[in-house]
Every structure is written in C-alpha cells, then in structure tokens.
Amino acid sequence: MPAPKNSIRRSLLVTSAIVLSTALTAPAAFAAPSPSAGSSSKPSADSSATVSADPPKTPSKKPKNSKGSKDSKGSKAAPPAKMSTVGGALLGRAGTQVNLASGVPVLPKGLSARSWIVADAESGEVLAAHNAHWKLAPASTLKMLFADTLLPKWPSSTEHEVEPSDLAGIGSGSSMVGIKEDETYTVHDLWLGVFLRSGNDAVRVLAAMNGGVENTVAEMNEHAEELQALDTVVVSPDGYDAEGQVSSAYDLTLIARSGLQKKDFREYASTVRADFPGETRKNKKGKKVRESFEIQNTNRLLSGDYDIPVYQGIAGVKNGNTTEAGATFTGVAEQDGRVLLVTVMNPEKKEGNQVYKETAKLFDWGFEAAGKVDPVGELVPPRSAAQAGARPGGAGASPGEAGGTGEGALGAADGRPVASAAAGGGAGGVGTALAVTGGVLVLLAGGAFLVNRRWPLPDLVRRRPRP
C-alpha cells in the first residue's frame, strides 16, 4: 500500500505552545451544544459550518479531580469556558471543533464522550476535536506517560526480585497482573503486565526500581512538561484516582504519539496475549517449578469482545477505567497507509464497551475524512525539538527504541513486510508482530521541520480483517 502523499504539508512552524493561535483565521468550526448532540444536524454540503454553540456562561462546580468535570456519582457537568490553546486556538474552545465543508463527511451520531480528539499520527494535524483540553481524570491511560518516561531506563532482560515494599500503596480495587513477593521478573515481563493487564502491581515494581513512587511521579510530570502536555498533572504513576490528577484528550494523544516512536512501546501496546510468570511451587517430587499463565490485552479494539469486533488496523495503545475517570481510551490504527490517533474520555452512555464503540466510529470518520478536512489544530512537538528547530541547522531525532538509538523499519531484505516477529519472554499472538507498514510516519525532530521515519506497526494486526 502506498504511503499517503502529504509530505508537502509537513512543515510545522511550532516554536511555542501557542504559536498556532493563527488558526483563528481558518474557517469557522462547528461546535456541538452537547456531547450527545454533536452530530445530529448536518450542515449544507456547499458551505463550511459555523460556530453553533457558545461556551457555558456558568461553569458547573469543580469536583476534586478536574475542572468542569463530573463528580464520582456521574452527574453531568460542562467544560470550563476557558481551556488551553496549545495546538491551536480552536482547540481551546468548548464543544466540537471541525471544519465541515463540501466533501467532508459529517461526524458520526451517538458520540457521548465528554472529550475526544482525532489526529493524523504522521502530520500531527488534528482533524476534529471535542473539548480537547478539558482536564479530566485519565485513569490507566496515564500509564502511557509512565511507559514513555521509564522505558529507556533498563534493557528488557534486566531482572528484579520483588520485595514487599515494592507493592506497598496499591489502591483498593486496582487492576493487577498477579506479581508475587520474592519472585524474580524481567523488565520485559513487567512491561507486559503494565500494557496488557494494566497491572498497578507491575507499575509499582517498576517505580520502585526507579527510586520510588515520588521520584517517578516527579519524572513523569517533568516529561509531560517537555512534551508540552500542559494539562497533565501526575499524582499516582498508575493512573489510580488521586486528588488533583488530571490530563486531557489532547495531552493523552501527544503522549501516545511520543511513546509510539519507541519500538518496544509499539511492541507492548500491540501485544494481544502473552505468557506471564507465575508463582514458584514445589511439584510432587519436591522440585521447585515455576509455571506461567496467559494474560490478554484488555484493549477490546485489539482483542475483541462479545459485542465489539477487532478493529481493522488497530495497533494499540491503552485503555483505562476508574470511578472518577469513567472509561478512557487512546488508540492508534492504520488503514491504506494512513495512521490515526483517537482519544476518547468518559462517554456519557454507560453501555458495555461504549468507549471502544465511540473510538471505532471516530476512526471510521477519520479515515474517511483524512485528506478532505482542513485541520482545526495540530499536535505540537516537544519543547526540546522546538528549540532545536529554532537553532540554525538544529535537529535532534528522538530514539526509535527505548534505551537505544533510532531504528528504521523492520522488514525483509527485499522490502516486503515481515510476517511476524514474536517478542521474547513468552509474548505471543499476532499483536507482537513488528513489521513494516505501508505508511511513512514522522518522527519529530524540530520546530520548523520533521524527519521522515517509519513506525513499524504490527503488520498482521494491520491486515487482519474485521470479523
């Protein structure tokens, strides 16, 4: 499949978090009055839609974890009247922002999420968004930032024997992968536990290896600032509900884009199932043995479920669900050489797998609208990349693999995609296939320009048809 021919529009003249305020001169965007009504009316096909709703005049009472969010009982609330304009002025407005002009498909009906965003992972263009900078509780999607911050720390083969103190402080009701005290795990095992089972126990062990929770939280907040994910405040590294812990659909998309530029991040995020080390026991002969058990990815667009099929082209990234956050999800998928990122936060509808259903609808819209719709903003580069771009001849590509130098796409000698490449440490399933996709994606390397790179999204996942 040929790569999308959009290289002529890849210059991102980004030197600060708000340089995109010039987007005010773009065509007016359609703003939905409420999440459930975001696509109920269709504008005329021969004209751009106009702003149809103003920000709320009286923002609702602030709950403990986020501005303008709902309380833990699920009562409705409105987004704040003023939000960040990082990535473009339109992204700071309440409501749905999308340039609906002739030939652009209308947004799908039935969207109920408090916040969502659809972005081109290659160019960084935001195709459409709804309350993109609304600060909400992120749940386990925050583990993407945890991984992007800590993945470069250790080789995957590093071993660690778990001490009781490593597992201290895990919140009640946390998702767990089943780590046991006094057992030894590789870093590879621990990251599988983080990505597949969203294990807070795996997060705590890795945080302990990194000098403790407090140090890890500080590093995560520092990394968020470097990524210009300025809506994000980390209190608990695993995303467990905590006072003052927030992020936004925009920030989670930035974080996912950064993480996906690491080969091992892509591998873990796309793994459907894997074997995980169990507890050491004595068999009937008195010999110590350690068996393993299978864990499966809880990303239902990747693994499927009774009421939702595997999404064609899905390759990660992370889901979450807590009392305060509701359901949250950031996904990446490729179709016909184009790669999109979609983040959905807290759907109002509480049907089963609703966050995945709304994500799938937005992916469908995004793939149909890409190349036709004018963007309403863009994903900004990290601060260091913007500063490097501002210097004459400055360019510093991010590493393509955690703990190592950048790599090109993995593929056969004749250029054909690799059929599969199983991860070590017992990981298996089509989700671990690291192969060349048809699309050429972008690695951020400067504020005024980008460096073309390949992200080898899993080929078998990409080509697997939707059931």
Side-chain angles (χ1 to χ4, degrees):
M1 294 181 291
K5 299 180 180 179
N6 61 357
S7 60
I8 59 174
R9 53 188 177 84
R10 286 181 186 150
S11 61
L12 301 180
L13 300 177
V14 181
T15 56
S16 70
I18 60 171
V19 72
L20 292 173
S21 60
T22 53
L24 284 168
T25 59
F30 176 78
S34 68
S36 60
S39 55
S40 59
S41 60
K42 182 177 181 180
S44 60
D46 59 353
S47 63
S48 297
T50 57
V51 175
S52 62
D54 296 323
K57 295 182 179 179
T58 307
S60 58
K61 185 179 180 180
K62 301 175 185 177
K64 65 178 183 178
N65 271 1
S66 57
K67 294 182 178 180
S69 182
K70 67 171 188 175
D71 60 25
S72 59
K73 303 296 183 181
S75 59
K76 292 185 177 180
K82 292 183 179 180
M83 292 181 284
S84 169
T85 56
V86 171
L90 293 178
L91 300 181
R93 297 183 183 180
T96 302
Q97 308 302 323
V98 60
N99 286 312
L100 291 180
S102 178
V104 177
V106 176
L107 286 168
K109 295 182 180 180
L111 298 177
S112 67
R114 296 191 178 281
S115 177
W116 54 258
I117 192 169
V118 182
D120 188 308
E122 179 185 17
S123 67
E125 293 177 344
V126 176
L127 307 184
H130 180 79
N131 301 325
H133 282 290
W134 191 355
K135 297 179 182 180
L136 300 169
S140 287
T141 48
L142 196 64
K143 289 182 172 76
M144 295 187 296
L145 178 61
F146 175 78
D148 196 36
T149 304
L150 267 63
L151 267 171
K153 299 277 186 174
W154 315 278
S156 62
S157 59
T158 301
E159 294 185 343
H160 177 77
E161 183 176 338
V162 177
E163 301 178 4
S165 59
D166 295 348
L167 300 174
I170 298 176
S172 175
S174 289
S175 53
M176 309 277 272
V177 68
I179 290 174
K180 302 297 183 181
E181 297 175 5
D182 302 321
E183 293 285 2
T184 298
Y185 300 85
T186 66
V187 165
H188 179 82
D189 295 330
L190 296 172
W191 283 121
L192 286 172
V194 171
F195 278 88
L196 273 67
R197 296 301 302 171
S198 202
N200 288 5
D201 48 354
V203 170
R204 291 290 170 144
V205 173
L206 287 164
M209 293 173 63
N210 190 50
V213 169
E214 184 176 349
N215 180 67
T216 299
V217 166
E219 290 186 2
M220 289 173 67
N221 281 315
E222 183 179 359
H223 188 52
E225 186 173 350
E226 155 64 13
L227 295 178
Q228 301 203 63
L230 305 182
D231 299 326
T232 299
V233 177
V234 181
V235 178
S236 179
D238 47 27
Y240 191 85
D241 287 338
E243 181 77 26
Q245 182 162 270
V246 291
S247 190
S248 66
Y250 182 87
D251 279 15
L252 292 174
T253 308
L254 272 187
I255 292 164
R257 192 183 189 212
S258 175
L260 286 165
Q261 296 185 51
K262 296 178 174 66
K263 183 174 68 112
D264 39 6
F265 187 105
R266 296 192 299 271
E267 174 194 339
Y268 295 127
S270 64
T271 299
V272 177
R273 58 184 57 84
D275 290 332
F276 193 83
E279 190 173 4
T280 301
R281 302 178 185 275
K282 288 185 178 181
N283 61 15
K284 294 180 179 179
K285 296 181 178 180
K287 184 179 179 180
K288 288 185 178 181
V289 295
R290 190 179 188 188
E291 297 181 350
S292 61
F293 57 93
E294 185 179 274
I295 57 175
Q296 188 178 56
N297 202 312
T298 54
N299 171 359
R300 297 310 179 195
L301 289 187
L302 186 67
S303 61
D305 206 358
Y306 71 97
D307 62 342
I308 189 166
V310 172
Y311 189 82
Q312 183 179 1
I314 193 71
V317 247
K318 191 68 190 74
N319 57 309
N321 199 320
T322 65
T323 301
E324 183 70 26
T328 61
F329 179 65
T330 297
V332 62
E334 182 204 10
Q335 291 182 15
D336 298 327
R338 188 182 295 274
V339 182
L340 298 182
L341 284 162
V342 172
T343 295
V344 173
M345 300 187 76
N346 200 348
E348 295 276 2
K349 295 180 181 178
K350 301 305 177 185
E351 301 174 7
N353 290 322
Q354 185 64 27
V355 72
Y356 303 110
K357 294 173 183 177
E358 296 193 18
T359 299
K361 288 182 178 181
L362 288 169
F363 268 130
D364 287 346
W365 177 86
F367 286 120
E368 184 181 357
K372 303 173 185 176
V373 65
D374 289 332
V376 294
E378 57 188 341
L379 303 176
V380 296
R383 291 188 187 277
S384 58
Q387 292 166 359
R391 295 193 297 267
S398 301
E401 178 180 10
T405 57
E407 287 189 1
L410 302 177
D414 59 2
R416 292 179 290 106
V418 176
S420 65
V430 295
T432 61
L434 295 177
V436 181
T437 68
V440 177
L441 296 182
V442 170
L443 181 65
L444 293 172
F449 56 88
L450 300 174
V451 174
N452 293 336
R453 289 290 298 272
R454 290 181 184 271
W455 287 352
L457 296 181
D459 183 64
L460 294 182
V461 171
R462 174 174 58 82
R463 296 189 303 174
R464 183 169 53 188
R466 185 188 297 191

